Amino acid sequence: MNGIETETKCETLLVAQEGGVAVITLNRPDAMNALNAKLLSELNTVLDKCDADPEIGCVVLTGGEKAFAAGADIKEMKDKSFADAFNTDFIAPYDAIASHKKPLIAAVSGFALGGGMELAMICDMIIAADSAQFGQPEIQLGIMPGAGGTQRLTRAVGKAKAMDLCLTGRRIDAEEAERSGLVARVVPQTALMEETMKIASKIASFSQPAVAMIKKSINTSMATPLPEGIRQERHLFYSTFATEDQKEGMAAFTEKRKPDFKDR
Ligand code: DAK
């Protein structure tokens, strides 16, 4: 067993490591992986450990075959008052997930609904099995998306489709999700983890500072006007010339060999 596996025991998650990739599996199969407070807390703890572990270059977040996650845990939140929701700021764990440094890939099979879809959208990229179904069904419960659903979804698919999904609560399949720009790739159900692991391993093999800068720069584009995003990108780009990995990557190219990145 590798480091992240041996040191991590969770009630609601399974944690494994393959080479430089950590694999976190949501593990509440009896509740369609509904996201309760315990799960969100454990997820943040494991992501903190991944960020701190130099051996981990990429993290994969997945669920079960039937459900990635069917949303926030309705049974846990149904009796909450406005004061409970407001005073405890119960959206904070989702913000914390989004603040992590290592690239995070969602491998989605089955249902990704409500908070489950929002969790997938917090990830840096979604790889969907052809069985995946995405939806923001909160309207059917008399509420609205609360963990970025109206914001990240609109940025990913545009206003028309976001309105359609959030106002009707209808689900879209993997093919429509890819066509709409929500997911990066669709793969056969049986190949989901194999294909996702190939992508994650490739990312983990590159220079970690360069990977982190690209993640930061693309996420900046979601939060800033274009001139500010370009300014930040340029600053980060110049910074890559301060790394040994830039020298190694370019030397390897000219010497026609594979680069040996040291992550510094
Ligand atoms: N919460 C709790 N339990 C759930 C659940 C959920 N979201 N989804 C499914 N389950 C449970 C079911 O109650 C059932 O439990 P038992 O009855 O066996 O005890 C078990 O999982 C199996 O589910 P089903 O029997 O319903 O299975 P089916 O195959 O028939 O249907 C389904 C699968 C996914 C279509 C169906 O379970 C379903 O419609 N689930 C609810 C989907 C949904 O409405 N999701 C949105 C939830 S609202 C916030 C952040 C985020 C959010 C809110 C606030 N802040 C931090 C402020 C997000 C809100 C939401 O996500």
Side-chain angles (χ1 to χ4, degrees), residues 30-32 34 66 70-75 77 90-91 94 111 113-115 118 137-138 141 146-147 171:
D30 295 341
M32 296 270 163
K66 196 163 178 206
D73 191 319
I74 298 169
K75 292 165 191 168
M77 71 180 159
F90 87 118
I91 200 161
Y94 290 84
F111 298 112
L113 303 177
E118 290 170 311
E138 289 88 345
L141 298 168
R171 295 181 204 147

Side-chain angles (χ1 to χ4, degrees), residues 137-204:
E138 289 88 345
I139 189 71
Q140 294 162 2
L141 298 168
I143 59 170
M144 64 175 283
T150 63
Q151 304 302 302
R152 289 193 181 88
L153 180 60
T154 308
R155 281 169 170 75
V157 304
K159 176 183 163 184
K161 191 79 77 177
M163 286 284 187
D164 178 4
L165 296 189
C166 293
L167 290 178
T168 69
R170 88 171 169 94
R171 295 181 204 147
I172 56 173
D173 62 17
E175 193 271 324
E176 185 173 355
E178 186 184 31
R179 181 159 31 95
S180 307
L182 179 65
V183 312
R185 304 187 200 180
V186 179
V187 298
Q189 164 70 52
T190 49
L192 177 65
M193 286 315 288
E194 190 186 333
E195 292 301 318
T196 306
M197 290 305 286
K198 274 190 214 160
I199 297 165
S201 303
K202 186 167 200 97
I203 293 169

